[in-house]
Amino acid sequence: MGSDRTLYSTRTTYATGPAPATARALPVAAAVLGLSSRLMGQGIGEHGEDTERMPQMGHTYRGGPPAPAGPVEAEVPSAGDRAPDAPCHRADGRRVRLFDLQRGGHWTLHGFVVRPRPPHPAVRAVSIGGEIGGEIADTDGHARRAYAAADGECVLVRPDGHIGIRSHDPATIAAYLRSALPPAP
């Protein structure tokens, strides 16, 4: 019977411990619950430092399998971190957020003051410049500050909204994608 299997499965899980994916999720869940508990005890406008963490909830894969090893600076969004959002403008002056450009389950390559060439058909390349007239204008510098990006740097955002890799070197980004995606047709 189905209920016997469910009971057995539940007992097996408790006896053997959480599955690896669950084990990775537990610290994130604990942090989210702690943050939400603190916020529920505060009035509107009294959130202080927690306000910065609310949209991202501090979730990261830094040091895990989806993030390549490399230098990591604490204050710079790095491989494995949730990609930040920022308000920008389209070439015609309409407002757009970086999250809008990343929506749709595809890889997105943000090029800061550079027009990146998509290294794979599954990647959407977006050029982010400083003035209206380019593909995406970062008129107030929000995107540059959010990513702590240098001119000519590219940041690859995975379909799950986390940074895959950031580099000035297109070959480094292409090598990362070769390990993450099937060969292009």
Side-chain angles (χ1 to χ4, degrees):
M1 299 187 120
S3 60
D4 291 338
R5 280 190 181 151
T6 303
L7 182 58
Y8 174 75
S9 174
T10 303
R11 286 182 180 158
T12 302
T13 299
Y14 286 120
T16 61
T22 305
R24 286 192 308 270
L26 287 175
V28 173
V32 169
L33 288 172
L35 174 61
S36 60
S37 294
R38 282 194 314 276
L39 293 174
M40 290 302 291
Q42 298 174 352
I44 295 174
E46 298 175 0
H47 301 301
E49 292 177 15
D50 289 331
T51 304
E52 293 293 317
R53 296 193 53 193
M54 283 191 297
Q56 306 300 329
M57 292 297 192
H59 188 221
T60 184
Y61 291 107
R62 275 190 191 187
V72 176
E73 297 177 42
E75 300 302 318
V76 175
S78 298
D81 289 345
R82 185 95 168 108
D85 191 17
C88 295
H89 292 89
R90 295 185 184 276
D92 62 7
R94 289 181 298 140
R95 293 176 187 258
V96 65
R97 299 194 68 87
L98 292 182
F99 278 0
D100 294 330
L101 301 174
Q102 296 161 195
R103 188 169 292 142
H106 56 268
W107 296 76
T108 306
L109 182 61
H110 296 302
F112 288 89
V113 194
V114 65
R115 185 168 302 282
R117 215 174 124 216
H120 190 282
V123 177
R124 178 171 186 247
V126 177
S127 176
I128 301 172
E131 298 178 17
I132 291 181
E135 183 177 5
I136 299 297
D138 186 19
T139 49
D140 296 319
H142 295 293
R144 179 182 292 277
R145 282 191 304 278
Y147 279 90
D151 286 356
E153 186 173 20
C154 291
V155 179
L156 181 67
V157 179
R158 301 186 324 231
D160 67 356
H162 288 80
I163 295 172
I165 192 168
R166 55 186 301 160
S167 179
H168 285 86
D169 180 20
T172 301
I173 294 169
Y176 172 84
L177 283 167
R178 277 194 300 276
S179 71
L181 293 173

